Amino acid sequence: VQFPVAGSYHCPNIGLHFVVIRAVTIEIGICAWSQHLDKTPLQDSHMVAGPLFDIKAEPGAVAAGQVDISWFRVAHFQEHGMVLEVPARVEQCYIVLENPSFSPMGVLLRLMPAVRHFIPITSVTLIYYYLNLKDVTLHLYLIPNDWTIQKAIDDQEMRFQFVRIHKPPPVDSLYIGSRYIVSASKNLEIIPKELELCYRSHRETQLFSEILVGQMDSEIKLQITDKKNGNLKWEALLK
């Protein structure tokens, strides 16, 4: 990304903000958490809370950087090992790192095992359909709102000639580790009917429900409900 003059810049697709003091080119890469985190004891005490970025920039050119997430430490993976950095400021939807140094870095959320299922996160649903006029097949994903995961799913579904249907995401926050039931207004074959909301690296295969519609001769309402209490969390109408 090329920033032509000093100022504040926002990269909306990946949720990054940069405050630069001069013209600069910043290279942003995406890494797999498993490549770095599996070598540390933190995998049992911390939860991944966003992408792992590999950012390269001229030293001193970036005055501040913001990442869209909260409740965390920033993990830096350097040649001599991992460093956990306390952010300079925590806001409702992001953290701020002042005068940052760059290495593969991402956000970790420290938690107790007992409260792992009570961390609310923003989630999205992704629906894809296969381009076939005779038999309609849908793929339904329920994932954390992470751009890197969405792009990986888009790329994979596109290779199999599936097309995304844009629908609104769940309004309420959902919970990592909780299970949700997928259902439809018609008697459709849904495999599996139960999805667990979990954070998987963009390089891992993501969980989804395959919905066999057959002939699309009338509208269909899809719903996702909380398995524990039956509360409706999301619905969409397909025509």
Side-chain angles (χ1 to χ4, degrees), residues 4-212:
V5 297
S8 178
Y9 295 89
H10 178 214
C11 305
N13 282 346
I14 53 179
L16 289 176
H17 300 244
F18 293 98
V19 178
V20 299
I21 61 175
R22 61 177 181 267
V24 65
T25 298
I26 296 179
E27 180 181 334
I28 304 171
I30 306 295
C31 303
W33 275 104
S34 57
Q35 180 181 352
H36 300 277
L37 194 60
D38 289 354
K39 303 175 184 178
T40 75
L42 292 181
Q43 54 184 331
D44 297 325
S45 61
H46 288 69
M47 184 179 77
V48 171
L52 179 61
F53 292 109
D54 187 5
I55 301 174
K56 295 180 175 64
E58 298 175 21
V62 180
Q66 300 175 355
V67 184
D68 290 344
I69 205 70
S70 60
W71 302 351
F72 46 85
R73 292 292 184 268
V74 178
H76 290 262
F77 296 97
Q78 302 171 351
E79 291 183 2
H80 60 273
M82 184 192 66
V83 176
L84 288 182
E85 181 178 353
V86 178
R89 191 168 77 252
V90 177
E91 302 292 347
Q92 182 177 1
C93 296
Y94 59 86
I95 68 160
V96 178
L97 296 178
E98 294 181 348
N99 301 314
S101 61
F102 294 116
S103 60
M105 57 189 291
V107 178
L108 290 177
L109 174 65
R110 185 177 182 181
L111 74 166
M112 303 276 294
V115 301
R116 183 180 296 270
H117 293 262
F118 300 97
I119 304 298
I121 67 166
T122 303
S123 305
V124 295
T125 49
L126 304 179
I127 309 175
Y128 300 84
Y129 75 97
Y130 182 64
L131 286 171
N132 189 325
L133 298 179
K134 296 181 178 180
D135 296 304
V136 178
T137 301
L138 304 174
H139 288 171
L140 173 62
Y141 295 79
L142 178 63
I143 61 171
N145 186 15
D146 184 323
W147 170 82
T148 61
I149 300 175
Q150 294 184 45
K151 187 177 186 305
I153 294 174
D154 274 340
D155 292 344
Q156 176 174 290
E157 292 290 345
M158 188 179 301
R159 286 197 296 270
F160 292 101
Q161 299 182 334
F162 276 73
V163 178
R164 172 123 64 106
I165 304 173
H166 291 272
K167 292 294 180 180
V171 175
D172 299 328
S173 296
L174 303 182
Y175 296 88
I176 288 289
S178 295
R179 293 179 176 269
Y180 299 90
I181 303 300
V182 180
S183 61
S185 57
K186 295 176 63 177
N187 186 23
L188 303 179
E189 192 74 34
I190 303 176
I191 306 174
K193 294 183 178 180
E194 182 177 310
L195 290 176
E196 178 184 353
L197 181 60
C198 58
Y199 194 104
R200 294 189 172 193
S201 166
H202 66 286
R203 295 185 182 181
E204 297 181 84
T205 301
Q206 305 296 323
L207 304 177
F208 68 92
S209 288
E210 184 175 59
I211 304 172
L212 306 178

Side-chain angles (χ1 to χ4, degrees), residues 2 51 187 216 222:
Q2 292 182 331
N187 186 23
M216 189 77 175
L222 298 178

